[in-house]
Amino acid sequence: GESVGLHLPTLSVQEGDNSIINCAYSNSASDYFIWYKQESGKGPQFIIDIRSNMDKRQGQRVTVLLNKTVKHLSLQIAATQPGDSAVYFCAEPGSNAGGTSYGKLTFGQGTILTVHP
Amino acid sequence: NAGVMQNPRHLVRRRGQEARLRCSPMKGHSHVYWYRQLPEEGLKFMVYLQKENIIDESGMPKERFSAEFPKEGPSILRIQQVVRGDSAAYFCASSPLGQEGQYFGPGTRLTVT
């Protein structure tokens, strides 16, 4: 069946390093992806999204890369800070019978990012 | 510009009682989604609503759970006759259109004793 999943469940980095969090998806028809950050005790926070007509999108200190050939998505965080410590999820909207994406999100398992000072 | 609001933030219920969780979407958003998150797990979709309509309830348990999003007022997720397995964090999200990124509220943490 369709799924969105992550390669690594945990990632530890030193403050100032760059972090890369990966995500694999199985539905080749997927056309929209979102990265969320969830801090302990809080709701998921929208970080960045990307549509399938792009292979790269940049935000503030974050970059999302999309490789449709291998169905792989990554989130890069530059100069990681202790405040970046959280669980990161990739997510993908669902599809109806006609194949059109709509709002239901399927979340990956999540990667725990720990940033050491 | 207030974000998605949920209340209560914490809710304790005894087995057999009813739980009502409320969600007010961001201003201008007409699409609401409910998700459930068990400890150390990802979020699982429950239901997708627009004003006065349930669009997709494929993630809702068949019994005891219901949701509404009336023309006026917040969206309500209602759990009747709660059991211990209902203990979880329940998140609401909203979006202006069904295909855009969703913005989440802080969640309601339900504990069933």
Side-chain angles (χ1 to χ4, degrees):
Chain A
E2 300 173 5
S3 66
V4 180
L6 297 173
H7 289 307
L8 299 173
T10 61
L11 178 64
S12 292
V13 301
Q14 290 296 127
E15 181 177 2
D17 288 350
N18 296 333
S19 301
I20 299 175
I21 300 171
N22 298 303
C23 179
Y25 62 95
S26 58
N27 182 8
S28 56
S30 298
D31 60 2
Y32 180 60
F33 303 90
I34 310 165
W35 280 101
Y36 287 94
K37 170 187 179 183
Q38 186 176 25
E39 297 175 90
S40 180
K42 297 184 178 180
Q45 177 187 355
F46 180 97
I47 301 173
I48 193 167
D49 59 2
I50 188 167
R51 295 200 176 273
S52 60
N53 61 353
M54 304 171 69
D55 54 20
K56 180 179 180 179
R57 190 170 187 211
Q58 289 184 292
Q60 186 177 11
R61 283 201 305 117
V62 295
T63 301
V64 54
L65 299 177
L66 176 62
N67 185 332
K68 295 179 284 294
T69 301
V70 295
K71 293 185 281 188
H72 183 268
L73 191 69
S74 69
L75 177 70
Q76 300 179 0
I77 305 173
T80 315
Q81 303 168 0
D84 294 327
S85 295
V87 181
Y88 289 81
F89 295 97
C90 61
E92 171 191 16
S95 301
N96 60 22
T100 303
S101 293
Y102 66 95
K104 164 185 174 180
L105 288 178
T106 298
F107 282 80
Q109 164 184 357
T111 291
I112 301 171
L113 175 65
T114 303
V115 182
H116 300 285
Chain B
N1 185 14
V4 177
M5 300 177 69
Q6 290 187 249
N7 68 82
R9 296 292 307 278
H10 299 275
L11 182 61
V12 179
R13 285 287 179 265
R14 291 199 179 102
R15 279 180 297 171
Q17 291 185 319
E18 177 180 289
R20 281 187 175 234
L21 287 62
R22 295 174 182 77
C23 169
S24 296
M26 288 180 68
K27 185 176 181 181
H29 288 192
S30 58
H31 297 240
V32 166
Y33 316 82
W34 286 93
Y35 295 83
R36 176 164 63 178
Q37 186 176 37
L38 296 172
E40 300 187 3
E41 292 190 9
L43 286 79
K44 303 294 185 188
F45 169 80
M46 298 181 74
V47 62
Y48 165 29
L49 310 104
Q50 294 179 29
K51 287 283 188 181
E52 300 184 281
N53 284 308
I54 296 175
I55 306 303
D56 181 355
E57 56 181 349
S58 60
M60 288 277 272
K62 294 288 186 275
E63 298 178 347
R64 303 187 298 109
F65 285 71
S66 62
E68 63 176 8
F69 189 16
K71 185 177 180 180
E72 300 292 337
S75 175
I76 307 287
L77 178 67
R78 181 183 179 202
I79 310 172
Q80 295 178 291
Q81 299 175 324
V82 296
V83 301
R84 287 213 173 117
D86 297 332
S87 296
Y90 292 83
F91 291 98
C92 169
S94 72
S95 71
L97 297 170
Q99 297 183 28
E100 301 297 323
Q102 296 173 20
Y103 295 84
F104 283 79
T108 293
R109 280 148 186 85
L110 172 66
T111 302
V112 179
T113 61

